[in-house]
């Protein structure tokens, strides 16, 4: 269940982003899905799925 390519490293990175930006889960999902900087930070490929 869930994405196969998301590792454990992404959990603390996304949690820190959520706290630092004081954003809701929808905004966090948008950040994790689109900007390549965040995708690269959590270890996903540079090519969008």
């Amino acid at each position: 269940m869930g994405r196969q390519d998301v590792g454990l490293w992404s959990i603390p990175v996304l949690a820190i982003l959520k706290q630092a930006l004081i954003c809701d889960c929808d905004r966090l999902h948008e950040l994790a899905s689109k900007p390549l900087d965040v995708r690269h930070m959590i270890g996903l490929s540079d090519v969008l799925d």
Side-chain angles (χ1 to χ4, degrees):
M1 189 150 258
R3 289 184 61 125
Q4 297 285 337
D5 56 350
V6 176
L8 292 176
W9 173 247
S10 63
I11 296 170
V13 171
L14 292 174
I16 291 169
L17 277 175
K18 186 175 186 318
Q19 290 295 323
L21 297 176
I22 310 170
C23 62
D24 60 359
C25 289
D26 291 331
R27 174 72 174 133
L28 187 63
H29 181 265
E30 181 182 329
L31 286 172
S33 297
K34 295 186 181 171
L36 294 178
D37 293 339
V38 176
R39 290 179 60 84
H40 187 260
M41 203 182 327
I42 61 176
L44 298 177
S45 67
D46 290 341
V47 179
L48 296 175
D49 298 327

